[in-house]
Amino acid sequence: MIRAIALDDEPKAISIIKHHASQIATLDLIKTFNDPELALSYLNANKVDLLFLDINMPKLSGFDLLSKLEKQPLVVITSAYAEYGVKSYSYEVVDYLLKPFELDRFTQAIDKAAERLSPSEIQKSIVIRDGYDRVLVHTSEILYVKSDGNYLDIYLETKKLSPRMTFTKLLELLPEERFVRVHNSYVVNLSKVEKIQNDAVKIGDLLIPVSNSQKSNLQEKLNF
């Protein structure tokens, strides 16, 4: 059973979440909040698996709340504004629901959360052969990957690895909901993307090109 709470300053939005949640046997919506400060206090004092979170709220935005949490549960954003989608991935949200959303789309988000709660479903680390060494890599540390002939340059937060392997093989190892090929030469970690600028995504100070053939795949991953 997934223990969840919902935070939205609009009572109608809370009512919709309550209705949808009542249709899913594996979801227990234990509390709802209209006040983000009350929700923050509850989250810091209680174990919650999943948070349905609005972004535009008085006193405290959804992103401000996430930055103040002592321990972040899984998060599904529920917003009427698509422009927060890219920023939400820096908080490693499970899904981004654009209001108004129907039960089937809500159910998809719950299915994603259920997968994340099952450790066997998500690969947290992978083993990369770098030269003669076998290196354990936590997937959350990967910023992006660049193709370099028969090799890949895997850029981590603190170093670079250059294994002899293909994108196809690497993508088989990585969690598919977090990594996407945006160009023939690049794979990016969606949780590291700061913004989309024209035909590129920004990670740190680097603009990584997005090819026309990969735009739809990127938009699907970001739920645009």
Side-chain angles (χ1 to χ4, degrees):
M1 184 70 71
I2 300 174
R3 291 169 51 84
I5 71 168
L7 168 59
D8 198 305
D9 62 315
E10 298 179 0
K12 183 177 180 180
I14 289 291
S15 295
I16 291 171
I17 292 174
K18 282 183 175 179
H19 172 267
H20 290 345
S22 70
Q23 307 301 304
I24 301 176
T26 57
L27 181 65
D28 182 12
L29 187 65
I30 54 179
K31 287 188 78 69
T32 62
F33 295 89
N34 300 116
D35 186 326
E37 292 181 344
L38 292 177
L40 177 62
S41 296
Y42 183 87
L43 285 164
N44 283 335
N46 297 273
K47 183 182 183 303
V48 173
D49 298 318
L50 179 63
L51 167 64
F52 296 101
L53 179 66
D54 188 22
I55 299 298
N56 276 345
M57 294 180 291
K59 295 192 287 186
L60 199 66
S61 76
F63 291 131
D64 289 338
L65 179 141
L66 292 179
S67 68
K68 293 176 181 293
L69 283 175
E70 295 173 3
K71 184 178 181 181
Q72 181 178 312
L74 298 181
V75 177
V76 170
I77 300 295
T78 58
S79 176
Y81 303 93
E83 58 264 31
Y84 299 121
V86 173
K87 183 177 179 180
S88 73
Y89 271 84
S90 64
Y91 294 90
E92 299 192 351
V93 303
V94 172
D95 209 341
Y96 195 101
L97 300 182
L98 273 177
K99 299 174 181 176
F101 46 85
E102 301 298 329
L103 176 60
D104 59 346
R105 184 66 184 86
F106 184 85
T107 302
Q108 289 177 19
I110 303 307
D111 289 342
K112 290 181 181 181
E115 290 179 356
R116 293 279 292 274
L117 287 168
S118 174
S120 63
E121 295 291 340
I122 299 298
Q123 188 70 28
K124 300 295 185 182
S125 61
I126 59 177
V127 176
I128 296 293
R129 184 180 292 279
D130 188 33
Y132 293 104
D133 298 324
R134 292 171 64 85
V135 183
L136 183 66
V137 177
H138 294 284
T139 58
S140 62
E141 295 179 358
I142 299 175
L143 302 176
Y144 65 96
V145 184
K146 181 180 180 182
S147 175
D148 185 12
N150 294 325
Y151 291 82
L152 298 179
D153 289 332
I154 302 176
Y155 290 84
L156 308 178
E157 294 175 352
T158 58
K159 60 183 176 181
K160 181 182 79 171
L161 301 176
S162 298
R164 184 182 178 92
M165 67 188 308
T166 64
F167 270 142
T168 300
K169 179 61 177 177
L170 179 66
L171 288 171
E172 289 176 358
L173 301 175
L174 296 173
E176 63 178 1
E177 77 281 4
R178 280 287 168 254
F179 289 84
V180 61
R181 192 167 186 172
V182 296
H183 187 276
N184 284 343
S185 300
Y186 289 94
V187 165
V188 300
N189 183 344
L190 290 176
S191 67
K192 305 299 182 182
V193 173
E194 297 172 10
K195 63 173 67 174
I196 297 177
Q197 296 183 197
N198 299 321
D199 294 326
V201 293
K202 187 172 185 291
I203 296 180
D205 296 327
L206 182 69
L207 284 177
I208 296 174
V210 177
S211 64
N212 288 331
S213 62
Q214 297 295 339
K215 276 185 179 178
S216 60
N217 188 30
L218 175 64
Q219 291 170 346
E220 181 181 347
K221 292 282 187 177
L222 292 173
N223 297 306
F224 282 2

